[in-house]
Amino acid sequence: MHDEPMSHSSMRDQERGGANHDVDEPDAVKANASGHAGRLMVLTGPTAVGKGTVEAALRAKHPEVWVSVSATTRAPRPGEIDGTTYWFMTEDEFAAKQRAGYFLETAVVHNMAHYGTPLQPVLDHVSAGVPTILEIDLQGAHRVKQEAARLGLDVVYVFLAPPSYDELVRRLIGRGTENEEQRRKRLETARLELESEHEFDVTIVNTTVRKAADELWTVIAREYALPLD
Ligand code: 5GP
């Protein structure tokens, strides 16, 4: 099913078609001297596919990559650190920030909790030319797509896929961080997300963490015209 590591599709083409690099909102990223807007990678993939592990492997080798820290209203798992894994907040705190325009995008994920990407840190890193990754769900990817042109962002959408659905179930059960009900909700979302793979610019199949991290770097290196190793 996933013989081709890279597949092209409509999400970016649509976004590019509508790109307006002359936006004058204060927060927007201005086109640079070569005429390009700020670049950004959106990484999406179903629950338990290993996004966090792949990102950690990528950052171990390429610490210059910055991964946005999202806000969430879900409870921290053991070992998760506020401000590093997520910004953990109450529903009230999240709603107040949302009203104040603090987020680039927000979503209710797995019908359970709010998640959101703080906007300003993303714009700051992108403006500075730092390779930037947002690890967000499919709804978030759609919202970024809606906002990208207004903010002067040139986005590559990457889908991290499991080798198979059965393997995904095995990984989710194996990590043991969810109860039966939470697993059921996550697998429901996963099915929908897997069906949307064709909307992404690039698909990377997470057969091994190292291979997936290397492929992710290949995409970043191409986007930022960086050396491959
Ligand atoms: P988890 O609770 O397992 O850490 O994450 C659940 C899902 O929320 C994952 O699919 C992850 O990609 C997504 N997610 C994490 N941060 C954000 C965010 O800021 N925005 C959106 N839309 N989704 C997010």
Side-chain angles (χ1 to χ4, degrees):
M1 182 170 130
H2 295 298
D3 292 335
E4 290 283 322
M6 309 247 167
S7 68
H8 212 264
S9 84
S10 56
M11 224 191 234
R12 188 180 205 182
D13 295 341
Q14 288 169 16
E15 181 259 312
R16 278 197 158 153
N20 170 13
H21 296 160
D22 299 327
V23 285
D24 54 14
E25 288 97 337
D27 277 331
V29 177
K30 305 287 181 192
N32 66 23
S34 64
H36 291 113
R39 288 182 190 279
L40 172 66
M41 174 186 282
V42 165
L43 179 68
T44 299
T47 186
V49 72
K51 286 166 291 193
T53 321
V54 170
E55 271 167 12
L58 173 74
R59 292 205 66 251
K61 215 165 155 188
H62 300 285
E64 67 271 36
V65 173
W66 181 72
V67 181
S68 161
V69 179
S70 295
T72 183
T73 60
R74 82 149 163 77
R77 294 183 191 131
E80 290 187 333
I81 300 165
D82 190 35
T84 302
T85 324
Y86 281 108
W87 297 104
F88 293 101
M89 49 185 78
T90 63
E91 289 289 345
D92 284 351
E93 285 166 341
F94 191 98
K97 286 196 183 293
Q98 194 168 9
R99 280 194 301 275
Y102 178 79
F103 294 117
L104 166 57
E105 59 75 38
T106 64
V108 177
V109 182
H110 308 308
N111 285 325
M112 285 194 291
H114 278 97
Y115 292 77
T117 305
L119 172 62
Q120 198 56 49
V122 171
L123 296 178
D124 292 346
H125 284 84
V126 161
S127 300
V130 176
T132 297
I133 301 181
L134 308 189
E135 193 259 272
I136 58 178
D137 83 327
L138 181 66
Q139 307 168 78
H142 286 152
R143 302 233 163 91
V144 170
K145 190 183 140 202
Q146 287 162 4
E147 292 297 303
R150 184 177 71 79
L151 293 169
L153 297 170
D154 186 13
V155 189
V156 60
Y157 296 89
V158 178
F159 191 80
L160 189 64
S164 68
Y165 181 75
D166 289 349
E167 174 60 18
L168 192 71
V169 176
R170 204 185 59 73
R171 288 180 191 181
L172 182 63
I173 293 171
R175 79 178 183 186
T177 47
E178 281 79 23
N179 64 31
E180 181 91 31
E181 171 65 4
Q182 288 166 334
R183 275 210 297 269
R184 196 185 55 71
K185 283 187 173 162
R186 281 172 181 263
L187 288 172
E188 262 171 34
T189 314
R191 277 218 181 269
L192 293 174
E193 295 196 326
L194 287 169
E195 283 167 14
S196 309
E197 182 198 319
H198 65 278
E199 294 180 37
F200 288 74
D201 298 311
V202 176
T203 292
I204 294 173
V205 182
N206 188 12
T207 39
T208 71
V209 172
R210 214 180 102 202
K211 196 164 156 283
D214 285 349
E215 283 186 31
L216 206 51
W217 178 252
T218 304
V219 178
I220 293 170
R222 192 184 61 204
E223 291 295 313
Y224 289 85
L226 296 169
L228 266 180
D229 50 357

